[in-house]
Amino acid sequence: MTRTKPQVYTGTGSAVDNYQNPQKQLQTIVHGGRSHSKSNWGLFDKENKQHRTILSLLRTLQWVVKSEKWGEVPDIYRLSDFLKSDKSPINKPLNDMEPTELSKLISCLQSITTKKYK
């Protein structure tokens, strides 16, 4: 069991309401503080093995951004732009893809990796 240290709440309003309604914080995390008029097609499910494979390939391709908390993380905005482009084999948001479509995307990213490091 890990010990946690209590933290002092510094927000406005009720701390309980803030804890139970973290939409603003979540939106900041998801968008990285950026305002995007378009939806982000690169959002992924961390429980999906194919999605994790795609994130691994993004790291291999060095499609990463700096994160204060995690160091370097895969750039899901770059992935989103790629999925929306004509270069992508499947023009759909990552979470809407079927397993066969995800396989095509994985093959495409593996091919890009091969060409980059050949």
Side-chain angles (χ1 to χ4, degrees):
M1 179 179 213
T2 56
R3 297 188 129 184
T4 58
K5 294 181 181 179
Q7 295 181 353
V8 176
Y9 175 67
T10 57
T12 59
S14 168
V16 173
D17 290 342
N18 188 48
Y19 177 78
Q20 293 175 344
N21 296 320
Q23 282 85 13
K24 285 187 179 183
Q25 282 181 333
L26 182 61
Q27 205 157 26
T28 302
I29 291 168
V30 168
H31 295 297
R34 305 176 197 173
S35 61
H36 288 278
S37 59
K38 306 176 208 170
S39 63
N40 188 343
W41 285 16
L43 296 178
F44 63 94
D45 175 16
K46 68 177 182 174
E47 304 298 323
N48 186 325
K49 188 174 181 180
Q50 288 180 306
H51 288 198
R52 290 193 314 253
T53 301
I54 290 168
L55 293 177
S56 172
L57 288 167
L58 293 179
R59 285 180 183 271
T60 304
L61 284 168
Q62 296 178 349
W63 288 10
V64 294
V65 292
K66 298 279 184 199
S67 167
E68 290 178 20
K69 186 173 183 180
W70 305 107
E72 282 187 344
V73 295
D75 188 354
I76 60 173
Y77 297 106
R78 188 168 178 181
L79 174 62
S80 176
D81 292 341
F82 174 75
L83 292 173
K84 293 175 185 176
S85 75
D86 294 334
K87 296 179 181 181
S88 174
I90 309 294
N91 294 105
K92 274 176 129 174
L94 196 60
N95 282 324
D96 293 346
M97 289 188 194
E98 299 295 322
T100 55
E101 295 170 329
L102 288 169
S103 294
K104 286 182 184 179
L105 178 60
I106 289 169
S107 295
C108 177
L109 292 173
Q110 286 173 335
S111 174
I112 293 170
T113 303
T114 303
K115 289 177 183 177
K116 181 176 180 172
Y117 293 108
K118 190 173 183 182

